[in-house]
Amino acid sequence: MGRYPPVAPPPRTDNEVVGAAAVVVAAPFAVGSLHEYVTLCGSLVAYPVSTLVCWAMSARRRKGEDLI
């Protein structure tokens, strides 16, 4: 596509490793009680759906069009 070679992703940092470990440790406790928070569950579903809809609209857009 472009003239530049692909760039390698940066190496993993300690923060990413600690964050991943925290998710794995907390998941068994969080998943079972998540159904008690209806508003939070709605937000956790609505945001990714909104992201996918916006992405799909952008992907279908023709390059020459200006939406503004």
Side-chain angles (χ1 to χ4, degrees):
M1 295 236 293
R3 297 182 296 192
Y4 304 105
V7 178
R12 297 276 184 228
T13 62
D14 292 339
N15 292 341
E16 291 173 331
V17 173
V18 171
V23 167
V24 169
V25 170
F29 304 105
V31 171
S33 64
L34 205 54
H35 70 278
E36 297 174 12
Y37 303 98
V38 177
T39 304
L40 175 62
C41 289
S43 297
L44 290 174
V45 171
Y47 284 118
V49 169
S50 172
T51 300
L52 291 174
V53 168
C54 290
W55 175 84
M57 290 173 61
S58 297
R60 289 187 47 193
R61 186 172 74 90
R62 294 189 186 120
K63 297 295 179 189
E65 292 179 3
D66 188 7
L67 298 178
I68 298 175

